[in-house]
Amino acid sequence: MTIEDNDNTYVIVVDYKTGTIEDSINECKYGLHLQLPIYIILSKYSGLKNVKVTGFYYQTLLQNIVKADNEEDFIKNKKDYLKLKGYTLDRTYSVIPFDKNEEISKVIKSMSITKDGVYGYHSKVLTENEMTRLEKLVEDKIKQAGKSIINGDFAINPIMIAENNYSCKYCKFRDLCF
């Protein structure tokens, strides 16, 4: 979604998923969960003028099982399940047109604004410096991948995080590596 205002283009990235997805950016440094951050980089090179990313989110669809004791709770739980999961750039929440000026967001999971006008404790918010560092990290990962492809460097190098092997989880060749 883009919104043009004066000399800026505000960009909100939303990707739809049919299953569960990790919406944390903590593992981007390992080259994992880069899909939304890569979309941010692509938006910067899209030809839009002065791109300002205000948020990037996943929305999970097709959840078959929503538990509730009654219809009212079912509808509430379903709406909660459909909320966007991701990050909002600090000080730009007011430019998000679909969720403007809500103390507790009806669209973004765990997003809230306190009476003092600051983000709630569970809100996933990035400062401009954190966003800049994330963009730099992702650009470096893209360049690194490009160099590896050009050099034919496809080493088997599973990434272990807290004793979990995320890299091989869905690989059909995982039995060969070990």
Side-chain angles (χ1 to χ4, degrees):
M1 175 186 294
T2 61
I3 302 159
E4 290 190 27
D5 182 30
N6 297 327
D7 292 332
N8 296 317
T9 304
Y10 296 97
V11 174
I12 300 160
V13 177
V14 179
D15 188 26
Y16 302 97
K17 296 294 178 191
T18 57
T20 58
I21 188 75
E22 177 64 44
D23 65 337
S24 172
I25 58 170
N26 295 334
E27 294 166 356
C28 287
K29 61 187 170 197
Y30 303 111
L32 300 173
H33 312 302
L34 291 174
Q35 186 173 2
L36 286 179
I38 286 174
Y39 292 160
I40 292 167
I41 301 304
L42 291 173
S43 71
K44 300 277 182 171
Y45 292 97
S46 66
L48 297 170
K49 62 181 180 179
N50 201 20
V51 170
K52 304 282 186 190
V53 175
T54 61
F56 53 100
Y57 311 96
Y58 287 112
Q59 183 178 39
T60 308
L61 303 174
L62 302 179
Q63 174 65 13
N64 293 330
I65 301 171
V66 174
K67 297 180 181 180
D69 294 331
N70 55 54
E71 186 175 348
E72 185 177 313
D73 287 343
F74 174 81
I75 292 169
K76 179 186 173 297
N77 292 348
K78 187 70 170 179
K79 285 180 180 179
D80 188 53
Y81 179 82
L82 291 171
K83 283 185 176 182
L84 302 176
K85 299 166 188 82
Y87 291 84
T88 303
L89 188 63
D90 193 10
R91 292 189 215 86
T92 59
Y93 187 61
S94 61
V95 263
I96 298 177
F98 54 76
D99 205 23
K100 211 170 193 177
N101 301 321
E102 294 285 338
E103 287 180 7
I104 298 176
S105 176
K106 294 178 183 172
V107 179
I108 302 170
K109 189 169 186 73
S110 302
M111 175 60 70
S112 64
I113 305 289
T114 66
K115 290 181 174 130
D116 298 331
V118 297
Y119 291 99
Y121 178 75
H122 294 290
S123 300
K124 288 187 171 183
V125 179
L126 296 176
T127 65
E128 288 188 39
N129 285 339
E130 290 169 326
M131 181 63 114
T132 301
R133 284 196 308 268
L134 177 63
E135 290 173 6
K136 171 85 171 94
L137 172 74
V138 173
E139 285 184 1
D140 289 347
K141 292 293 180 186
I142 291 169
K143 289 175 186 174
Q144 179 184 5
K147 286 179 186 175
S148 294
I149 291 169
I150 289 170
N151 294 331
D153 180 13
F154 299 100
I156 297 171
N157 187 15
I159 299 168
M160 301 292 285
I161 301 172
E163 299 181 19
N164 290 316
N165 185 343
Y166 293 99
S167 301
C168 302
K169 189 174 182 178
Y170 300 107
C171 179
K172 61 183 177 181
F173 302 108
R174 67 182 165 269
D175 293 336
L176 300 174
C177 294
F178 301 103

